[in-house]
């Protein structure tokens, strides 16, 4: 009995002492970083040195992931995305954007690659590899107890000095020197999947960028004025540059309307050629045949009036914007327009309206009463073109009234993977030409400036 009592007393004292000792410790550790491992919460004070080392290791891991895709001997990456889609590319920004990166320092490298893609267009892999190498060099400097601020200041000084050296050895280039531009673009394409088609894509990249410049003295160029239309079928050899407009969908011929139109007067309609509907989702039940016939006659009369307004304005090509509230057109309106000899292209995306208006020189028409000659666009010829290697059709507008503001590139490819990579590669090539427009100088690459 005596032994039991002593044990119990000791246990109580121990528990009390433990609680007393833990309470201030828990209060002091409440501001410390914590992490959960196997269901247990561990409190640790992580040193700044360990955090910096962790950041360097994470950044090096990202750089090593894309290092093997750098240069003309770089390998392509085959990626399986979360939705099961397969992607083949060696573009650094594309690879990193598809990676599921969690570490903050590694995310900064991904954002670095995306910034390079927006600013320069090319060199997205190079900047990541260089950043990884510089951070690796920082590891040895930090091991010598050099303060991180001093290392960062030294990097800024080295960056300014490097820029001065590169500017001193750069050779000026004239945009009228087509051969120099083609060589620069071909170098960019040499490391891409479609490098064997560089003799076709390089001239298209150069001509498309120079074609939208207001003058040879322009300090910049907007690549949004170049529209890329991707059509599967054929090969990359069939890719062409169109000084006009290409729509991915052919004309609507369900009612037997024309598919070719010369001297086109084009109207872009943003209202619906169908019977009006109530604002709310209501149903009207008509049981009387006479009333039903009257409704159909009124609908026919309403649509015919809309079509006559279009014909009266002298329009022979109609572009109908896609509607989400109600049908943008119906079979009756297509029938009337076909009888009037008007070519109709339906389901124009809202995102394409601005580009179409700048290309054709037209203005969207939002109401039947707002038709005017100044709102119409003009083209020498509008017609369906059957894509070789497939049964798909596109609508091509040539001989636009105001050429030079925009151009369209019709990209072809045997499958979706080749088509998507061709679009990315051509965009990078166009960015190279844009960089030459902004900074008209060129130098040898591949590490030659270091020599």
């Amino acid at each position: 009995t005596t032994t039991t009592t002593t044990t119990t007393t000791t246990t109580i004292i121990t528990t009390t002492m433990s609680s007393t000792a833990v309470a201030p410790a828990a209060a002091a550790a409440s501001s410390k970083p914590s992490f959960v491992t196997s269901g247990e919460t561990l409190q640790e004070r992580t040193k700044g040195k360990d955090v910096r080392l962790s950041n360097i290791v994470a950044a090096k891991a990202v750089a090593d992931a894309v290092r093997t895709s750098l240069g003309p001997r770089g390998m392509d990456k085959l990626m399986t995305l979360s939705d099961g889609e397969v992607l083949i590319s060696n573009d650094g920004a594309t690879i990193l954007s598809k990676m599921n990166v969690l570490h903050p320092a590694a995310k900064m490298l991904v954002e670095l690659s995306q910034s390079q893609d927006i600013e320069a267009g090319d060199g997205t892999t190079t900047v990541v590899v260089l950043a990884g190498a510089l951070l690796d060099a920082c590891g040895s400097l930090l091991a010598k107890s050099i303060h991180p601020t001093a290392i960062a200041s030294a990097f800024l000084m080295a960056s300014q000095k490097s820029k001065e050296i590169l500017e001193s050895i750069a050779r000026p280039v004239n945009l009228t020197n087509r051969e120099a531009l083609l060589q620069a673009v071909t170098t960019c394409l040499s490391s891409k999947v479609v490098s064997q088609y560089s003799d076709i894509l390089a001239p298209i990249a150069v001509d498309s960028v120079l074609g939208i410049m207001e003058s040879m003295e322009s300090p910049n160029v907007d690549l949004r004025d170049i529209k890329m239309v991707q059509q599967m079928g054929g090969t990359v050899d069939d890719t062409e540059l169109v000084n006009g407009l290409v729509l991915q969908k052919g004309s609507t011929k369900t009612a037997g309307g024309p598919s070719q139109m010369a001297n086109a007067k084009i109207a872009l309609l943003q209202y619906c050629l169908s019977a009006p509907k109530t604002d709310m989702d209501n149903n009207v039940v008509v049981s009387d045949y006479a009333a039903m016939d009257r409704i159909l006659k009124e609908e026919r009369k309403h649509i015919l009036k809309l079509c006559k307004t279009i014909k009266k304005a002298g329009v022979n090509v109609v572009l109908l914007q896609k509607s989400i509230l109600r049908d943008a057109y119906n079979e009756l309106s297509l029938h009337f327009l076909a009888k009037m000899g008007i070519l109709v292209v339906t389901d124009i995306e809202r995102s394409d309206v601005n580009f179409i208006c700048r290309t054709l020189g037209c203005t969207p028409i939002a109401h039947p009463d707002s038709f005017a000659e100044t709102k119409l666009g003009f083209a020498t010829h509008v017609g369906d073109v059957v894509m070789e290697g497939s049964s798909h059709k596109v609508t091509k507008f040539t001989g636009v009234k105001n050429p030079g503001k925009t151009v369209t590139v019709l990209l072809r490819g045997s499958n979706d993977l080749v088509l998507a990579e061709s679009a990315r590669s051509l965009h990078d090539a166009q960015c190279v030409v844009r960089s030459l427009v902004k900074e008209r100088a060129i130098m040898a690459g591949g590490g030659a400036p270091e020599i």
Side-chain angles (χ1 to χ4, degrees):
T1 308
T2 307
T3 306
T4 307
T5 306
T6 305
T7 306
T8 307
T9 306
T10 306
T11 305
I12 293 172
I13 292 172
T14 305
T15 306
T16 307
M17 290 176 62
S18 300
S19 302
T20 308
V22 169
S30 60
S31 60
K32 297 178 183 178
S34 63
F35 56 90
V36 180
T37 307
S38 303
E40 297 179 0
T41 303
L42 304 179
Q43 309 263 345
E44 275 196 1
R45 180 187 297 276
T46 307
K47 296 181 180 179
K49 179 181 178 182
D50 297 335
V51 173
R52 285 191 288 269
L53 182 61
S54 171
N55 292 341
I56 292 174
V57 170
K60 282 176 60 181
V62 173
D64 291 339
V66 296
R67 188 190 305 276
T68 54
S69 65
L70 178 65
R73 295 187 177 227
M75 296 178 288
D76 304 322
K77 300 293 184 186
L78 174 64
M79 293 165 283
T80 303
L81 307 182
S82 57
D83 57 356
E85 183 184 354
V86 177
L87 178 67
I88 299 177
S89 177
N90 68 352
D91 181 57
T94 304
I95 295 170
L96 293 176
S97 64
K98 303 299 181 183
M99 290 173 60
N100 187 16
V101 180
L102 299 178
H103 197 282
K107 282 184 178 180
M108 290 186 66
L109 279 193
V110 176
E111 293 169 359
L112 170 67
S113 178
Q114 293 172 348
S115 300
Q116 175 74 5
D117 190 36
I118 295 171
E119 182 63 28
D122 198 19
T124 52
T125 307
T126 306
V127 292
V128 175
V129 173
L130 283 176
L134 291 174
L135 286 172
D136 191 18
C138 289
S140 59
L141 297 176
L142 291 171
K144 297 176 182 178
S145 300
I146 300 178
H147 198 275
T149 307
I151 299 175
S153 302
F155 272 146
L156 288 174
M157 293 172 60
S159 173
Q160 296 171 357
K161 188 63 178 178
S162 300
K163 185 178 179 181
E164 294 174 5
I165 295 173
L166 292 176
E167 288 177 346
S168 66
I169 65 176
R171 291 187 291 114
V173 62
N174 196 330
L175 295 182
T176 57
N177 187 355
R178 181 180 175 82
E179 191 62 31
L181 298 181
L182 288 175
Q183 288 177 357
V185 173
T186 304
T187 302
C188 167
L189 293 172
S190 63
S191 61
K192 307 295 183 184
V193 177
V194 292
S195 57
Q196 65 268 33
Y197 300 106
S198 57
D199 56 334
I200 296 169
L201 297 179
I204 290 177
V206 173
D207 294 337
S208 60
V209 175
L210 296 183
I212 60 174
M213 290 181 62
E214 296 180 1
S215 66
M216 284 298 177
E217 287 73 30
S218 298
N220 201 353
V221 63
D222 191 355
L223 293 184
R224 288 176 295 183
D225 291 336
I226 303 174
K227 180 179 176 64
M228 291 194 193
V229 178
Q230 302 179 21
Q231 286 295 324
M232 194 163 62
T235 63
V236 182
D237 291 320
D238 300 323
T239 300
E240 61 176 314
L241 178 66
V242 180
N243 288 317
L245 177 67
V246 176
L247 299 179
Q248 291 189 343
K249 185 177 180 181
S251 62
T252 304
K253 295 192 63 178
T254 55
S259 60
Q260 306 290 330
M261 187 65 64
N263 299 321
K265 295 180 70 176
I266 306 158
L268 176 58
L269 304 186
Q270 290 186 317
Y271 61 89
C272 299
L273 295 178
S274 59
K277 291 185 178 180
T278 58
D279 293 337
M280 300 177 63
D281 188 11
N282 294 327
N283 294 323
V284 180
V285 179
V286 181
S287 56
D288 184 14
Y289 286 109
M292 190 183 302
D293 186 54
R294 189 164 61 252
I295 290 174
L296 293 176
K297 284 184 178 179
E298 287 295 328
E299 179 182 346
R300 183 184 180 91
K301 182 179 177 182
H302 173 75
I303 294 176
L304 182 59
K305 181 181 177 182
L306 294 177
C307 295
K308 283 184 176 180
T309 305
I310 297 173
K311 183 65 177 177
K312 185 178 179 181
V315 176
N316 52 18
V317 175
V318 170
L319 307 181
L320 281 174
Q321 182 179 321
K322 184 183 291 186
S323 175
I324 59 174
L325 297 178
R326 61 189 177 101
D327 296 334
Y329 61 94
N330 57 20
E331 295 297 327
L332 189 59
S333 60
L334 294 179
H335 169 74
F336 286 140
L337 292 174
K339 291 296 183 184
M340 296 174 183
I342 297 176
L343 187 149
V344 182
V345 182
T346 59
D347 296 337
I348 302 297
E349 296 288 346
R350 178 66 185 88
S351 56
D352 295 335
V353 169
N354 187 30
F355 184 87
I356 292 173
C357 291
R358 283 187 288 123
T359 304
L360 302 178
C362 62
T363 304
I365 300 173
H367 194 273
D369 297 336
S370 60
F371 266 97
E373 187 77 14
T374 55
K375 294 186 176 183
L376 302 182
F378 300 90
T380 305
H381 184 268
V382 178
D384 291 349
V385 178
V386 180
M387 296 288 95
E388 296 180 6
S390 69
S391 59
H392 195 78
K393 294 181 180 180
V394 298
T395 307
K396 186 180 289 188
F397 297 71
T398 55
V400 295
K401 191 172 183 180
N402 299 314
K405 290 185 177 180
T406 60
V407 295
T408 306
V409 178
L410 182 58
L411 274 170
R412 306 297 308 282
S414 56
N415 56 60
D416 289 331
L417 298 178
V418 174
L419 204 56
E421 187 62 20
S422 299
R424 285 191 289 267
S425 301
L426 186 58
H427 179 265
D428 287 353
Q430 290 169 344
C431 288
V432 169
V433 183
R434 183 186 65 178
S435 298
L436 287 172
V437 172
K438 295 166 68 174
E439 191 72 33
R440 305 189 182 188
I442 196 170
M443 69 183 71
E450 294 183 8
I451 302 174

